């Protein structure tokens, strides 16, 4: 029988098919490289916006706009998380703090309410602490109140008291996640409680501050409760250590 096509024709066909396959693979590689290059440019842009890193002159103005909006959002976030510290400082100062904090601790979670935990540590390293030595500790108090108020509330389980009639070696206490402890030589309670919301803003109540300062001595050990009605209360060293041991 006579073959439908010659061996030479078969070889040509195979080369054509191979060429077609290679062309399709080449296009896929080009598309993939284009996507990767786009991702790299986007990541570089995000890095410039978040950190303030230098960019090309042609991109500088656009990056500056995004950067300004980012810092403005960061400043508002800090003011909401740290209302008392914000009231002690000017809006301009909080704006500068937000810009500096973004450089060292960029916002990565996508939720401004979770950003800014490092403010107290950063404040302790700035010259602001010379004029306001208590500012860092107040920031610590405010972050505990802010962050713990976002946690799920844990109500008291009265029925659990029945466990006291059982083997006490198997019983343990569990504190509400809304409770926090800090040590501070400053009267954090008087400072925090004397800053009150009024007419949509935080105002310092000097009379209340002096009353709290005189009538509630500081032990240097502070209990913070962030759920329901937040408060900051001075407690004894032994009580502090006992609660700390439970936590």
């Amino acid at each position: 029988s006579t073959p439908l096509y010659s061996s030479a024709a078969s070889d040509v066909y195979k080369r054509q098919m191979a060429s077609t396959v290679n062309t399709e693979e080449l296009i896929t590689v080009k598309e993939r490289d284009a996507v990767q290059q786009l991702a790299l440019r986007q990541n570089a842009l995000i890095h410039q916006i978040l950190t303030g890193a230098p960019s090309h002159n042609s991109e500088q103005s656009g990056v500056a706009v995004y950067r300004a909006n980012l810092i403005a959002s960061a400043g508002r976030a800090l003011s909401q998380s740290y209302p008392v510290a914000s009231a002690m400082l000017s809006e301009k100062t909080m704006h500068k703090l937000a810009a500096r904090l973004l450089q060292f601790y960029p916002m990565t979670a996508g939720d401004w309410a979770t950003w800014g935990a490092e403010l107290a540590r950063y404040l302790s390293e700035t010259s602001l602490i010379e004029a306001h030595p208590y500012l860092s500790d107040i920031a610590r108090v405010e972050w505990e109140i802010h962050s713990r108020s976002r946690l799920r509330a844990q109500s008291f389980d009265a029925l659990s008291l029945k466990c006291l009639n059982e083997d006490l070696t198997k019983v343990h206490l569990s504190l509400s996640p809304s409770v926090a402890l800090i040590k501070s030589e400053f009267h954090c309670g008087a400072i925090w409680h004397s800053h009150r919301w009024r007419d949509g803003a935080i105002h310092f109540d000097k009379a209340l501050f002096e009353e709290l300062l005189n009538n509630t001595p500081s032990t240097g050990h502070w209990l913070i409760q962030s759920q329901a009605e937040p408060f900051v209360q001075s407690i004894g060293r032994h009580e502090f250590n006992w609660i700390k041991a439970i936590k």
Side-chain angles (χ1 to χ4, degrees), residues 74-90:
R76 288 191 294 270
L78 284 187
S79 296
Q80 292 173 2
S81 302
Y82 299 92
V84 173
S86 180
M88 292 178 175
L89 303 171
S90 66

Side-chain angles (χ1 to χ4, degrees), residues 32-51 53 55-56 59 63 66:
R32 183 185 63 198
D33 288 345
V35 171
Q36 291 176 345
Q37 289 298 319
L38 178 60
L40 288 174
R41 289 197 297 271
Q42 290 175 335
N43 288 337
L45 177 61
I46 292 173
H47 176 73
Q48 292 166 4
I49 294 171
L50 291 178
T51 64
S55 61
H56 300 297
E59 301 175 351
V63 171
Y66 282 114

Side-chain angles (χ1 to χ4, degrees), residues 210-230:
E210 293 177 348
E211 178 185 346
L212 293 171
L213 201 62
N214 295 328
N215 298 332
T216 56
S218 169
T219 63
H221 300 77
W222 299 94
L223 171 71
I224 303 167
Q225 169 64 260
S226 60
Q227 293 289 350
E229 185 69 24

Side-chain angles (χ1 to χ4, degrees), residues 9-240:
S10 176
D11 291 340
V12 171
Y13 175 75
K14 289 179 181 179
R15 287 197 297 271
Q16 289 176 340
M17 289 299 297
S19 176
T20 302
V21 172
N22 289 338
T23 301
E24 291 176 351
E25 290 180 352
L26 181 62
I27 293 173
T28 301
V29 170
K30 287 182 177 180
E31 291 175 341
R32 183 185 63 198
D33 288 345
V35 171
Q36 291 176 345
Q37 289 298 319
L38 178 60
L40 288 174
R41 289 197 297 271
Q42 290 175 335
N43 288 337
L45 177 61
I46 292 173
H47 176 73
Q48 292 166 4
I49 294 171
L50 291 178
T51 64
S55 61
H56 300 297
N57 291 335
S58 60
E59 301 175 351
Q60 188 64 48
S61 59
V63 171
V65 172
Y66 282 114
R67 178 73 180 167
N69 289 335
L70 179 72
I71 293 174
S73 296
R76 288 191 294 270
L78 284 187
S79 296
Q80 292 173 2
S81 302
Y82 299 92
V84 173
S86 180
M88 292 178 175
L89 303 171
S90 66
E91 182 178 350
K92 183 178 180 180
T93 300
M94 290 300 291
H95 188 83
K96 289 183 177 179
L97 283 173
R100 294 293 291 170
L101 205 63
L102 276 173
Q103 284 188 298
F104 296 108
Y105 309 100
M107 197 275 288
T108 58
D111 183 356
W112 282 114
T114 64
W115 177 80
E118 299 82 6
L119 180 63
R121 179 168 55 185
Y122 181 73
L123 284 171
S124 66
E125 300 171 354
T126 69
S127 58
L128 288 171
I129 213 68
E130 298 175 4
H132 309 281
Y134 45 80
L135 194 58
S136 178
D137 285 352
I138 288 299
R140 289 168 58 201
V141 169
E142 291 205 276
W143 182 256
E144 292 290 359
I145 292 174
H146 168 72
S147 60
R148 292 177 183 275
S149 66
R150 291 168 49 81
L151 300 176
R152 184 176 180 180
Q154 181 177 321
S155 58
F156 174 64
D157 183 5
L159 294 178
S160 65
L161 293 175
K162 294 180 180 180
C163 296
L164 297 177
N165 296 323
E166 302 174 4
D167 184 358
L168 295 182
T169 61
K170 299 180 180 180
V171 176
H172 69 277
L173 298 177
S174 178
L175 290 181
S176 168
S178 64
V179 174
L181 299 168
I182 72 165
K183 290 183 179 180
S184 174
E185 62 180 300
F186 303 104
H187 204 307
C188 296
I191 297 172
W192 187 81
H193 283 288
S194 60
H195 285 80
R196 317 299 295 176
W197 280 100
R198 188 175 69 250
D199 299 328
I202 289 282
H203 297 274
F204 175 60
D205 189 331
K206 185 177 180 180
L208 179 59
F209 172 74
E210 293 177 348
E211 178 185 346
L212 293 171
L213 201 62
N214 295 328
N215 298 332
T216 56
S218 169
T219 63
H221 300 77
W222 299 94
L223 171 71
I224 303 167
Q225 169 64 260
S226 60
Q227 293 289 350
E229 185 69 24
F231 66 84
V232 181
Q233 176 181 332
S234 179
I235 59 176
R237 178 172 60 87
H238 295 297
E239 185 180 2
F240 182 95

